[in-house]
Amino acid sequence: MKKVGVAILGLGVVGGGTYKILTEHEEFFRRTQEVEISVESVLELNRERAIALGVPEEKIAGNIAEVVCNSDVDIVVETIGGVGAAREFVLDALNAGKTVVTSNKELFCKYSHELERAAKRHNAGLYFEASCVGGVPVIRTLLDGVQSNEIYSMMGIINGTTNYILTRMAKCGCSYEDALKEAQALGYAEADPSADVEGFDAAYKLSILASLAFHTKVPFAKVFREGIADVTKEDIQNGKALGYCLKLLAIGKQTHSGIEVRVHPAFVKEGHPLAAVDGSFNAVYISGDSVGDVMLYGRGAGEMPTGSAIVSDIIYAATHSENKYSTFKNTATGDKETNYVADFKSAYYFRLTVTDRAGALAKIAALFAKYNISIEELLQKSGDEKTATLILVTHETHEFAAKNAVARINASGLAHVESVLRVAQ
Ligand code: HSE
């Protein structure tokens, strides 16, 4: 039976989950995969943590050199995170000819070109299923499940923290601040939540997924990004009244004018499969020319779901002798021939405070019409004696037209645009 030795760098939440799955399923993998996988080394500064997990003392390495020089180690798992030591250690492992499995989305998003070059040079494997959407096998699906398709769109809820916050705001009517505190208390959000709430985490993942889906390197810098920190419960409730749910969406589209990649809050119609994805769950909705629509749903984070993705990569590497690399030229800046669409099309939700007098509504509608923006739905709520709140949902228009219309309305003195949210089609 084939024997494979694994080293784990970092025994935090994900590394710990990986260790548990590997040690608890040894016999299962022998039986079902015909491979004997053993943990031969771990690199963890907190020795007590490693010992508490059951790692024998002699398997705790003192430094990365001990790991990469260990001839019993074939596969190195990186679960340290960030782009400092993790980048250095992964390169050390690849340069020593070890296959690497990583859960590090920031590292893979920013440096996959460099890592892949080192992997190819040393005939090592490089696997990253756990970098995107935790336990949901979206990368394997793109590589080995729907590769016969031209993918024309991908829409996902790929950050559990923000989905938890938005779900709480919708279901309990709490403010963004209160929902964030709750997410922090439950361990979903970090003390510094910016990577999640400002959309960085989702944008790293979208850059990776869009590169695989569209067969061209989509650099992080090309991903349009807006977070959820300015979302108000009022807008969520207004959306609800109109039959919409608000989600932080990651959208990738291949259009005739080029590629669109964007992360931003957006309303989805209540009947859409993504609308039902609540709490910390994730989902990705992929549309291809032959398969039609495919949706993957599950846990995008956590020790066991993300550990599951890592161990699947370990098994894949252990049972495949050929290494597969990108289907596209993997450079830092991507292909110069690839166009990106900044003036993308979307429908929009606007909330305006209007001076409540005869003709105001007609004038506002006329301003939208100037930018060729057609109104699909309209809701008016009375405010104080002099003002009213207008909620408008438009038909599909262009991003720049929506921005220009907002500037024009605000300059007109007729109304003030309080919020603008995109509505996914
Ligand atoms: N912080 C991420 C999330 C999990 O909330 O989905 C890891 O990417």
Side-chain angles (χ1 to χ4, degrees), residues 105 131 158-162 188 196 201 205 282 300-301:
K105 69 227 72 155
S131 67
I158 59 177
N159 181 272
T161 304
T162 47
Y188 294 135
D196 290 317
D201 177 84
K205 293 168 184 167
N282 283 199

Side-chain angles (χ1 to χ4, degrees), residues 295-311:
M295 185 159 121
L296 301 167
Y297 169 87
R299 292 217 173 267
E303 72 168 340
M304 302 312 265
T306 312
S308 154
I310 288 181
V311 177

